[in-house]
Amino acid sequence: MDDDGTRGGRGPGADRAPGPAAPPPPAHPPRVPHPASGTHPADPHQGDRNQADPYPADRKQADPQPGRPAEQWRAGSASAQPVEHRQAVPAPAAPPVDQPAPGAPVDAWLRAPRPQQEPGVWRYGYTPPPPEESERVSDRSLLVGALIALLSALLLWSLWRNGYLPYRLVPLKLFTPGEWWNPGTSGGPRTIEGSDALTVYEAILFGLLAYGCGRIGNFSELFRRHVAERGQPFLALAAAGAAGLTQLLVWKETLPVVRPVLVLVASVAGGEIYQSQTVVNVIYGLIAAAVLWPFARLGRWRELIAARRGGGTAPAPADPSAPATTTSADQWPELRAAGWTDAADTLTAEVRTGRMNDVDVARLRHAWRLATRRPDRLGPLAESVLRTGGAAALHPSGHRDLPRRTARHDVLTGQVRIGRCADDPHNPYVRRGTGLALDPALLGTSLLAVGPPGAGKSARLVRPAVEALALRALAGQAAVLAVGGAGEPLGPDDAFDVVVRVGHPGSAHDIDLYGGTTDPDEAAAVLAEGLVGDVGSLDSRRAATVLAQLLGPYRAAHGHFPSVPELRELLDGTPAAFAGLRASLEAAGHHAMLRELDARSRQAGGPGDPAPALADRVALLDRPTFAGFFATGPDARPFELRALGQYPLRVRVDLPERGHAEASRLLTRLLLAQFTAITAARTDTSLFVCLVLDDATHAVTAETVRGIRRLRSVNAGAVLALRTVDDVPEPLHTPLLGAVGCTAAFSGITTWDGKRFAEAWGKEWVETREVAQHTVFADQPFTRALHALRKLVTGKAVTTDAVTVRQVEKERWSASELAYAVPSGHAVIRLANVDGEHAPPLLVHLDG
């Protein structure tokens, strides 16, 4: 992995932490380059930021680096990585992501609609899909139906015009004077008035016949599918051709339009009106315009002409600097409502001129929400905004954005887009084609991702989730701990505040095996879970008792917990180690701890003693590679996990999986146990905390499953990635799938894993159609001859179909479908949020 020149030798100079370097200018707006005043501890506005600190004072109790002044941490040196004087390896180019075009204004991004939707829907710019259409009629059936309707209408009109329909004039004679007609039901008109009435009557009947023919033949769908969908200019040309043909038929009097109109005008205005040729021409012009008008509407001639006159270009976008209403999002209405108009105007100008990015907007909104809870902070925050603009209330690292992004983020809602729901029958219609996103409300229920190597778990799910949490940490709303193997794609070094490289001599931090606690019993419980929690034959409570009998006396004698070599000697029962510890306790007068040590001496070597197993596991960490790590003395520099709940930290832990796989699994298990224990015990849960394990193989234990279940109630979550569910002990398969709210099955999983997911996702009621074919036996000789002829031609017997429709309960996704029907680059993801809302398992094309 690219170290960006931040690795260095461990030693006295390791505690010197330079300010984080400013990342290069971002490639995708609404991100802006970091100004020099906001990316270095020597910021001239640092005093203003200290004044308007958005982080509560109770979060400044625990420093991730013991003994380091809190002012140094807050001044922008959270990364705490020493500089190694060697040439940095250039970082690999980030893959392209779907982001707004360069130059897109932040205010347009801020005003984009984000309607509330179901869990997992990408809300930024969301537009609901059109209503689901009924079963689509085939083109062949549509054309045949339209042709039959047209021929039937022509036949009916021909029969009418030629007088073959009886009683055709009876309705007209009922509403007109009798002297207009010849006697009899079929008698024609006697007078000119009767002839005119018959002309209008035929025109009305023709209109009704044409309307009925169009509705029955579904001509509107035919026009939409084969003409309108082809777009311009074909639509305009087709409408023009139809208009010309219609005009020809109208003026040839094939269509009854001209004469009925002339008759109606004469009956209203009198026949003398036709003595003026000008009036006649006007009437003819109106008839021609009336015939052309519907075709102009259908062909969208007006739009085409306007586009041609405009040079074929789309209308120019509105000026982004144009004044908006005071209630729009880019006008900061929350500040104006509180009376801080000057601060709101400053931020509005920063947004419109592009000096703020999306992280700045989210950070300042969060800082304002925190300040409203403490009215004494409103004034300093407003003054800081007036002085520094969008650089107010900066993250302690001084960063305003990540060096690069590989996924599409909406920092305002905390969402990260990881893919698009496929157009698949398994997905509901309203979710097909919509974006799928993760947010803290979903990660708060924890996420389990299962897939073979190469399925895309790290690059398409884990990395985007870590990026989203890191951006949220820069906005002061979250803390993230990402754990993976050295070189895993979890992000560059300068995207994190603390980077722990276990076993690397250039790492500035160690891992605290005891979780930063001073209570021997608490430290023993967590350490026992990490050491032997995966050993089913050992009781972790007995192992915790053994460790407590050693940790308590050692801390009482030396003031700190033992290092790895010392703990190994005590667990092995080395006489010299016990004698030295006993002498120290006796000299200090710790009689209670002497009794603990004596109890351990009596129990050592007994049946079922977990000390040998603990010693074997501790021996995995007592290797030359880890010499100097896991130190506990006054010179130790461990990273305390408790700082995650008090600071918006971005922490990454690199494990030496290649050469020390068992030790890496032990540390992963220990970090998971510490995380669940620490987050459950914290009192301030306003900060969302998330643990991301890129490989959780053999890290899940019975106790950590119970801890994961409790995370959602303390505003925390975990993301666990596994190659197979079998990486977890079999008794924990069902509890683990029940403890997490979000699950993802990637392409390539086995049918055994698919069966577990299918059982966890449950069943649904579906409608099934069963078709049974029965042979038709004819009784009549002629019918039997026809059936025999048909069988001779088609080769099949004449059958009839019996259709049975039933409601049955069926698995949402079967084990075989999950194993064989999920395409490459896809995953089936089921989501649920902390409020209890959930989405069905969705087939997603991952593009994160």
Side-chain angles (χ1 to χ4, degrees):
M1 176 178 292
D2 178 28
D3 57 17
D4 292 345
T6 55
R7 299 184 182 179
R10 296 171 59 82
D15 57 348
R16 294 194 299 269
H28 305 290
R31 306 161 65 191
V32 298
H34 297 181
S37 61
T39 58
H40 197 276
D43 190 349
H45 302 301
Q46 186 64 44
D48 300 327
R49 289 200 300 274
N50 293 342
Q51 239 182 353
D53 189 2
Y55 309 113
D58 53 0
R59 291 190 186 167
K60 303 171 186 174
Q61 304 296 327
D63 193 336
Q65 302 177 21
R68 181 182 180 190
E71 290 77 7
Q72 186 181 4
W73 156 248
R74 295 175 60 246
S77 56
S79 58
Q81 301 168 15
V83 176
E84 180 182 340
H85 298 286
R86 66 188 181 95
Q87 185 177 3
V89 180
V97 295
D98 185 12
Q99 294 283 12
V106 182
D107 54 349
W109 166 83
L110 193 56
R111 292 195 302 265
R114 295 171 176 87
Q116 290 292 338
Q117 293 296 324
E118 297 179 0
V121 175
W122 174 250
R123 293 168 51 191
Y124 177 75
Y126 173 81
T127 55
E132 184 177 8
E133 299 180 356
S134 57
E135 186 176 355
R136 183 182 176 96
V137 180
S138 64
D139 292 343
R140 180 179 179 182
S141 300
L142 194 63
L143 292 172
V144 171
L147 182 60
I148 292 176
L150 179 61
L151 294 178
S152 300
L154 291 177
L155 176 62
L156 188 61
W157 182 245
S158 177
L159 294 176
W160 168 271
R161 293 296 300 270
N162 291 286
Y164 290 105
L165 296 180
Y167 310 107
R168 62 189 185 95
L169 300 180
V170 171
L172 179 61
K173 292 181 178 181
L174 292 177
F175 297 96
T176 54
E179 60 269 13
W180 289 4
W181 309 97
N182 292 320
T185 57
S186 58
R190 177 187 299 176
T191 63
I192 297 178
E193 291 81 359
S195 299
D196 294 342
L198 180 60
T199 300
V200 176
Y201 179 58
E202 288 183 345
I204 295 174
L205 290 180
F206 179 82
L208 293 177
L209 182 62
Y211 176 78
C213 173
R215 291 298 302 271
I216 295 175
N218 204 1
F219 279 86
S220 60
E221 175 65 17
L222 186 66
F223 175 80
R224 183 190 65 82
R225 188 180 300 182
H226 295 282
V227 180
E229 288 185 354
R230 301 184 64 173
Q232 299 287 12
F234 180 82
L235 176 61
L237 293 177
L245 178 62
T246 305
Q247 288 281 6
L248 179 63
L249 296 177
V250 166
W251 297 112
K252 289 290 185 180
E253 296 190 4
T254 304
L255 301 180
V257 175
V258 178
R259 290 189 60 191
V261 171
L262 297 177
V263 168
L264 290 176
V265 171
S267 63
V268 173
E272 295 81 4
I273 193 174
Y274 295 124
Q275 294 179 359
S276 173
Q277 186 63 34
T278 303
V279 173
V280 173
N281 294 336
V282 170
I283 294 176
Y284 285 164
L286 292 176
I287 294 174
V291 173
L292 285 178
W293 180 77
F295 295 98
R297 290 289 303 274
L298 290 176
R300 301 174 185 174
W301 295 352
R302 184 177 180 181
E303 298 177 8
L304 181 62
I305 294 174
R308 295 297 182 184
R309 287 181 176 177
T313 58
D319 184 6
S321 62
T325 62
T326 57
T327 58
S328 61
D330 63 325
Q331 290 283 316
W332 302 86
E334 59 271 16
L335 273 70
R336 299 183 186 276
W340 301 97
T341 307
D342 294 340
D345 292 339
T346 300
L347 293 180
T348 301
E350 292 272 306
V351 167
R352 290 184 177 174
T353 55
R355 294 194 296 268
M356 287 182 64
N357 61 3
D358 51 354
V359 179
D360 294 332
V361 173
R363 186 187 67 251
L364 289 174
R365 281 193 168 191
H366 178 68
W368 182 262
R369 284 194 296 267
L370 292 180
T372 54
R373 302 174 187 173
R374 299 278 297 273
D376 57 314
R377 296 180 179 176
L378 291 177
L381 177 60
E383 183 181 354
S384 179
V385 169
L386 292 175
R387 289 174 179 265
T388 62
L394 272 183
H395 184 265
S397 67
H399 288 178
R400 297 173 64 179
D401 204 346
L402 298 179
R404 61 177 179 267
R405 306 183 187 182
T406 60
R408 188 176 182 185
H409 301 268
D410 184 19
V411 187
L412 205 61
T413 58
Q415 287 189 316
V416 53
R417 191 179 187 274
I418 62 172
R420 174 180 51 83
C421 296
D423 188 4
D424 187 85
H426 287 91
N427 294 342
Y429 172 77
V430 295
R431 299 300 298 269
R432 298 175 188 174
T434 61
L436 191 79
L438 298 177
D439 57 58
L442 299 174
L443 297 180
T445 64
S446 298
L447 186 148
L448 176 66
V450 178
K457 301 188 300 299
S458 298
R460 300 183 179 183
L461 182 64
V462 175
R463 172 72 180 269
V466 173
E467 281 186 3
L469 293 169
L471 289 172
R472 202 162 181 83
L474 291 177
Q477 305 175 50
V480 57
L481 173 61
V483 181
E488 293 295 333
L490 296 181
D493 292 353
D494 49 0
F496 295 91
D497 302 316
V498 177
V499 177
V500 181
R501 298 181 178 90
V502 180
H504 194 285
S507 179
H509 295 277
D510 302 336
I511 291 180
D512 190 352
L513 296 180
Y514 306 101
T517 182
T518 57
D519 184 2
D521 293 329
E522 182 181 352
V526 176
L527 184 57
E529 195 66 30
L531 291 177
V532 295
D534 61 328
V535 182
S537 59
L538 285 180
D539 187 357
S540 59
R541 290 174 296 181
R542 291 193 60 188
T545 302
V546 171
L547 289 172
Q549 291 172 344
L550 297 175
L551 298 182
Y554 191 95
R555 179 173 179 79
H558 300 283
H560 57 82
F561 290 122
S563 62
V564 169
E566 294 167 336
L567 180 60
R568 181 183 181 184
E569 291 180 354
L570 292 174
L571 290 172
D572 284 333
T574 305
F578 268 82
L581 181 57
R582 185 182 302 275
S584 300
L585 292 174
E586 291 175 350
H590 296 291
H591 301 290
M593 293 302 172
L594 279 172
R595 290 195 299 270
E596 287 285 299
L597 192 61
D598 292 337
R600 172 83 291 264
S601 299
R602 291 192 304 269
Q603 296 171 4
D609 182 19
L614 291 170
D616 292 340
R617 289 300 178 89
V618 173
L620 296 174
L621 304 179
D622 190 17
R623 305 298 301 163
T625 303
F626 305 126
F629 278 83
F630 317 119
T632 57
D635 297 333
R637 299 288 294 174
F639 168 72
E640 294 182 1
L641 206 60
R642 294 179 181 274
L644 283 176
Q646 299 165 351
Y647 295 97
L649 279 171
R650 303 166 295 164
V651 184
R652 194 189 77 209
V653 177
D654 294 344
L655 301 176
E657 290 183 344
R658 295 180 181 177
H660 303 273
E662 288 298 328
S664 298
R665 294 173 182 175
L666 188 152
L667 293 174
T668 303
R669 188 164 54 248
L670 178 62
L671 289 173
L672 178 58
Q674 289 182 357
F675 180 82
T676 55
I678 291 173
T679 53
R682 63 180 183 146
T683 56
D684 182 11
T685 60
S686 59
L687 195 69
F688 178 74
V689 185
C690 188
L691 170 67
V692 181
L693 298 181
D694 190 55
D695 185 6
T697 302
H698 300 297
V700 179
T701 64
E703 184 61 32
T704 54
V705 168
R706 287 188 287 269
I708 291 173
R709 196 184 298 272
R710 294 191 297 265
L711 290 179
R712 68 175 65 189
S713 63
V714 292
N715 196 22
V719 178
L720 310 177
L722 294 171
R723 294 182 178 89
T724 174
V725 182
D726 290 330
D727 289 338
V728 177
E730 186 174 358
L732 299 180
H733 290 174
T734 301
L736 177 60
L737 289 172
V740 298
C742 304
T743 49
F746 284 72
S747 61
I749 64 172
T750 63
T751 53
W752 292 273
D753 288 343
K755 179 181 179 182
R756 297 181 183 98
F757 280 109
E759 292 175 352
W761 293 338
K763 301 180 180 180
E764 62 179 346
W765 288 98
V766 297
E767 183 180 277
T768 62
R769 296 169 59 91
E770 297 180 357
V771 180
Q773 293 184 341
H774 303 283
T775 304
V776 177
F777 297 96
D779 296 331
Q780 301 298 326
F782 181 72
T783 308
R784 286 199 298 269
L786 290 178
H787 287 184
L789 179 61
R790 179 177 176 180
K791 184 176 181 180
L792 180 63
V793 173
T794 62
K796 297 180 180 179
V798 180
T799 59
T800 182
D801 294 341
V803 182
T804 303
V805 180
R806 295 188 302 174
Q807 292 284 339
V808 298
E809 198 174 16
K810 183 183 178 182
E811 292 177 333
R812 301 178 184 271
W813 280 85
S814 66
S816 59
E817 287 176 330
L818 289 173
Y820 302 110
V822 179
S824 177
H826 291 65
V828 181
I829 302 178
R830 187 255 186 188
L831 300 175
N833 59 18
V834 293
D835 296 329
E837 299 177 340
H838 59 85
L842 302 171
L843 179 63
V844 181
H845 175 244
L846 300 170
D847 54 11

